[in-house]
Amino acid sequence: MSAQERLTDALYGAGWGTVKKLPEPVAVRLGRTIADVVWKRRGKGVLRLERNYARVVPDAGPERLAELSRAGMRSYLRYWMESFRLPAWSPERIADSFTPKDLHHLTEGMAAGKGVILALPHLANWDLAGAWVTTKLGIPFTTVAERLKPETLYDRFVAYREGLGMEVLPHSGGSAFGTLARRLRDGGLVCLVADRDLSASGVEVSFFGHAARMPAGPALLAQHTGARLLPVTLWYDGSPVMRGRVHPPVEVPASGTRAEKTSVMTQALAEAFATGIAEHPEDWHMLQRLWTEDLDPAHAPERDREGTA
């Protein structure tokens, strides 16, 4: 493990070990302070966030984009502060901290016994939403996590999410899809963050009028298993309670090849995600390149290309 990896692991360890013990007002102020300091430094993550917001809010000028990125960093640090503290929250606190609309799409899907896939973008706090599902609804679910470096950091995330009642599978390794399909065929619940492709097999979609690639997994799982596919969007509204919406099911097209059906369904997911992101752009924590054009270093601004392999 490199010195940088050891430092990263130590910082996350300190977050889970220390932040959860702070009085809540202190933790909230700390998160906002860190967010503002990072925002003022104008590092690569903040600049990338602004460039992503520029696609979401194309009419925004530099001042508006700066306001959005500052609010976005505050939202992002709220996610981290909540996540560090979630293991110490009581079941009652978790149950009272999230209010979703149109939950009947999920409960009816579970009652049908064919399994449900919840697909979410990186909006607000998806870990809190997951903890709410396992705690308030009493429904366990399976999810997938990106393998992080160092390995000890990945292990921390797995232990954290398993402590909240989730079954966590590694994204890499090739066995996740089969396990997810089995869970769905048994009538279970699968939750996937699905607005950024981490593989070479993503599906091209139009996202805010520009080409991007999103994972094929949610659509393929729905086709393979007959499970109900539901987009979910989340947001903060200035209160301590996170809000959310379960969107209507994405149907499997009646005709077409598997690839054609997957394309249509993934585009429908992208459109549902775009609806939630457009309404609450500051809660979309996308500090990485997403759009196809941005993934090509030849199109990236010089500062953003630094360190690109």
Side-chain angles (χ1 to χ4, degrees):
M1 187 189 302
S2 69
Q4 181 62 45
E5 289 176 340
R6 286 196 297 271
L7 176 60
T8 300
D9 183 59
L11 288 174
Y12 279 98
W16 271 299
T18 303
V19 172
K20 68 181 180 182
K21 299 176 183 177
L22 295 174
E24 185 148 346
V26 175
V28 170
R29 287 196 299 271
L30 176 62
R32 178 162 290 203
T33 298
I34 294 172
D36 288 347
V37 168
V38 172
W39 177 77
K40 288 177 182 177
R41 289 180 177 174
R42 309 287 292 163
K44 289 183 183 179
V46 173
L47 294 178
R48 171 50 51 197
L49 187 64
E50 284 188 12
R51 293 182 188 116
N52 289 340
Y53 285 158
R55 296 202 187 269
V56 174
V57 191
D59 296 333
E63 185 175 341
R64 172 60 175 148
L65 289 175
E67 291 173 354
L68 274 175
S69 66
R70 183 175 189 178
M73 291 307 299
R74 287 181 172 183
S75 175
Y76 187 45
L77 263 294
R78 174 173 171 174
Y79 160 79
W80 279 113
M81 290 297 161
E82 286 179 346
S83 295
F84 286 144
R85 296 170 62 79
L86 263 176
W89 283 9
S90 68
E92 294 76 18
R93 172 68 189 278
I94 293 173
D96 292 342
S97 294
F98 178 45
T99 303
K101 299 178 181 178
D102 299 327
L103 188 64
H104 65 93
H105 292 305
L106 170 58
T107 55
E108 290 170 1
M110 294 302 296
K114 294 184 178 180
V116 173
I117 306 157
L118 298 181
L120 306 86
H122 286 80
L123 273 169
N125 192 337
W126 48 97
D127 284 328
L128 173 56
W132 185 89
V133 167
T134 61
T135 302
K136 175 74 172 181
L137 301 184
I139 302 175
F141 66 85
T142 304
T143 189
V144 174
E146 178 184 1
R147 277 202 177 277
L148 303 171
K149 294 295 184 181
E151 191 75 14
T152 51
L153 179 58
Y154 170 77
D155 293 340
R156 287 184 189 275
F157 271 96
V158 170
Y160 155 66
R161 288 177 173 140
E162 288 180 342
L164 298 175
M166 312 174 194
E167 179 187 20
V168 183
L169 308 176
H171 178 270
S172 58
S175 63
F177 188 91
T179 302
L180 295 173
R182 286 193 295 274
R183 299 292 183 268
L184 292 168
R185 290 192 183 102
D186 289 340
L189 177 64
V190 164
C191 299
L192 301 170
V193 179
D195 58 343
R196 178 169 172 252
D197 182 46
L198 297 175
S199 70
S201 58
V203 178
E204 184 168 298
V205 297
S206 176
F207 194 50
F208 290 99
H210 299 272
R213 299 189 75 82
M214 292 188 179
L220 288 172
L221 283 167
Q223 292 175 62
H224 274 277
T225 67
R228 180 179 293 198
L229 175 56
L230 300 173
V232 178
T233 53
L234 311 170
W235 67 91
Y236 295 125
D237 65 357
S239 76
V241 179
M242 185 176 71
R243 311 296 176 178
R245 178 189 174 197
V246 183
H247 295 251
V250 172
E251 303 292 346
V252 178
S255 61
T257 65
R258 179 176 296 173
E260 289 168 343
K261 292 178 180 180
T262 301
S263 177
V264 170
M265 296 172 72
T266 307
Q267 181 63 52
L269 282 180
E271 290 168 5
F273 294 166
T275 298
I277 293 167
E279 291 174 351
H280 305 278
E282 68 279 4
D283 291 324
W284 189 41
H285 309 149
M286 186 55 65
L287 280 72
Q288 298 83 22
R289 296 185 181 97
L290 178 72
W291 281 274
T292 304
E293 184 180 31
D294 297 337
L295 292 169
D296 181 357
H299 291 94
E302 188 66 34
R303 183 174 177 181
D304 201 38
R305 289 205 303 269
E306 294 173 5
T308 301

